Structures are given as structure tokens and as C-alpha cells.
Amino acid sequence: MHSLGAVDPVLLRSLGLEPGMRVLDVASGIGDPALAIAQWVGPRGSVLGVDISGPMIEAARRRARALGIANVRFRVANIERFRHAGHAFDAIVSRFGIMFVEDVPETLARLHAALRPDGRLAFAIWAEGHRNTAFSIASRVMSRWLETPLPPPAEAPHPMRFAIPGSLPRLLRAAGFRSVSEVEVAAPFVYPDPETFVTVQLETSSSARALYDRVPVRARARVRAAMAREAARHRDGGVVRLPGVARVVRGVK
């Protein structure tokens, strides 16, 4: 979560947050950055976090209660079918979520409709795979044991879906957003040891897990060992520090 949060300063500044604003957090997961935004907009403002995962939404609700944050709500919802019937949102944010949507143009059209005129939208996405070592290690190692080649990331839900610069901005403009821009942000991943890197990748990354499930059972121990060896090359001061680059794409309705 610390690594994912590296984009937050740029991501949240892009929203022009002010007290009293209404904000939608798409693919909110366990509540980030919805919980931080709720504190920013204050008690007169409100935040709605939506995610397709029920367990993650439950975790987000527990975190909100533990922190005493009362102006945030979390809802289980598929953003591709999400319809907002209340007041339009002042801002919409998504931290590493838009890449996993099946029909991106339709989803962007729905979000455009849910935003007030001059409202802002900001998405965090990952840059090219070769610049994000945590992802490239998993795909490079496991591809050695796959019988069929990996599909191009841009053609399906995948962390690298919008890794090509300009690909998501083009879709935002087509959906009616203006003043669209894209900026890079350093987002390294840090793990206490190589074994933890392997465990996190295979248990929390849907794309890495999907590849791992295609690896023959007899080869899985070798896959884990190879991933750990690759990660060990990036030891830095007692931890494993893997280079990473994200982008923040922003626009105005």
C-alpha cells in the first residue's frame, strides 16, 4: 500500500480538492484513496468508494470505523454498470483501477455523465512493463513455462493496459473530457525480502496469479524460486527495492 500510495500527492492535487466537495473513488479496494480524500473534503463533503470486491469493501468499512471517518461510504458495485442518481460528483478518482475494466469507453462515458460541469477526473495507471520491475519479473519468469504466448496487455484487463503513453488520454478525450494531461510519477515497490515479493505477487496480483495458474504444477516451485532470485538482485539496504513508474492522467468535464 505504501508503494501504491506514491502517486497520491500528484493524484489528489489533480482533483483540486476543497472542503465540501463530493468525490467518487472508483475501484476503491480497501479504501484508498477514499479515506484520505474524506478527511480532505471535511464533514461538509462526502466520498463514495465503489469496488467489485465485497471483502475489500468490508475491509474499507472497518478502516473507516477504526479511523472515525463518518463522511465516506463504500458500496460493492461494478463500475461498468454503475449508475449515479444523486447530485453530480465534483471529482472522480481511481488509483490503479481503470486498467481492469472490460469496456473502457462505456465506463468513461458513465463517469463523464456522473461528473458536474468543470468537475475533475484523475486516474493513476502503470507505465511500461520494462520500467516496472515487479510486474516484469513475474511475466518474464512464468512465460518460460507457458505453452501459449502471453496476450498483448493492451487488449484485455491488465496492469499494463495503458502503459503506452497517450493511450488513456485519447480515450478520455473521446469520452468528452478536455484539458487532458499525463504526468509520470516514480512508484517503486519495496519488500522486506525476496520471498515476500513472490508471495505478494502470487496472492494479491490478479494478473500474476492468472499466469501462475497456467504454469504446470510440477514447475511451480521452480517459478517461485526463479522469481525470488530475480528479486534478490534488487536488494538495497536490507530490503528489496524494485523500480516502478506510474502515470497520473487527468481531465476536466
Side-chain angles (χ1 to χ4, degrees):
M1 298 308 295
H2 170 76
S3 298
L4 297 179
V7 301
D8 284 358
V10 176
L11 185 67
L12 301 190
R13 281 200 303 269
S14 299
L15 299 174
L17 295 172
E18 296 179 359
M21 289 179 65
R22 295 180 297 273
V23 182
L24 172 66
D25 181 13
V26 177
S28 191
I30 63 171
D32 298 294
L35 294 170
I37 293 173
Q39 296 173 80
W40 200 320
V41 300
R44 292 188 297 108
S46 63
V47 180
L48 173 62
V50 299
D51 197 279
I52 199 170
S53 169
M56 284 192 170
I57 288 296
E58 283 303 316
R61 290 169 178 161
R62 289 196 300 271
R63 294 179 69 204
R65 289 193 296 269
L67 293 169
I69 300 175
N71 63 330
V72 60
R73 294 181 295 119
F74 293 101
R75 181 193 306 174
V76 178
N78 183 340
I79 195 59
E80 294 187 70
R81 295 191 292 272
F82 176 80
R83 291 187 181 278
H84 179 63
H87 293 290
F89 293 103
D90 299 299
I92 297 176
V93 65
S94 183
R95 195 176 79 179
F96 305 114
I98 192 65
M99 306 93 76
F100 300 105
V101 169
E102 289 282 353
D103 190 336
V104 177
E106 172 63 21
T107 299
L108 293 179
R110 288 179 182 273
L111 296 179
H112 187 273
L115 197 60
R116 68 163 173 80
D118 296 322
R120 299 188 183 189
L121 174 145
F123 290 151
I125 58 175
W126 294 112
E128 298 90 338
H130 69 274
R131 304 172 72 191
N132 282 286
T133 309
F135 299 115
S136 63
I137 285 176
S139 59
R140 183 171 63 251
V141 168
M142 285 188 276
S143 65
R144 304 170 193 166
W145 282 275
L146 299 181
E147 296 179 356
T148 57
L150 300 176
E155 295 183 2
H158 190 278
M160 303 292 111
R161 179 85 165 275
F162 300 112
I164 299 175
S167 55
L168 183 55
R170 282 193 293 273
L171 292 176
L172 285 177
R173 294 187 185 98
F177 290 93
R178 56 186 174 83
S179 301
V180 177
S181 63
E182 186 173 36
V183 60
E184 288 193 353
V185 182
F189 279 80
V190 181
Y191 303 88
D193 50 64
E195 292 71 25
T196 300
F197 160 73
V198 176
T199 299
V200 170
Q201 281 291 300
L202 298 183
E203 293 186 4
T204 68
S205 169
S206 58
S207 58
R209 184 70 204 190
L211 291 179
Y212 188 67
D213 288 343
R214 293 171 54 190
V215 172
V217 174
R218 66 181 184 280
R220 290 181 181 179
R222 284 182 287 168
V223 164
R224 298 180 74 96
M227 289 177 63
R229 286 195 300 272
E230 292 264 1
R233 298 176 182 174
H234 297 272
R235 288 187 184 275
D236 179 14
V239 299
V240 173
R241 191 180 306 275
L242 303 176
V245 179
R247 294 193 181 96
V248 172
V249 180
R250 50 210 177 183
V252 180
K253 180 172 179 178

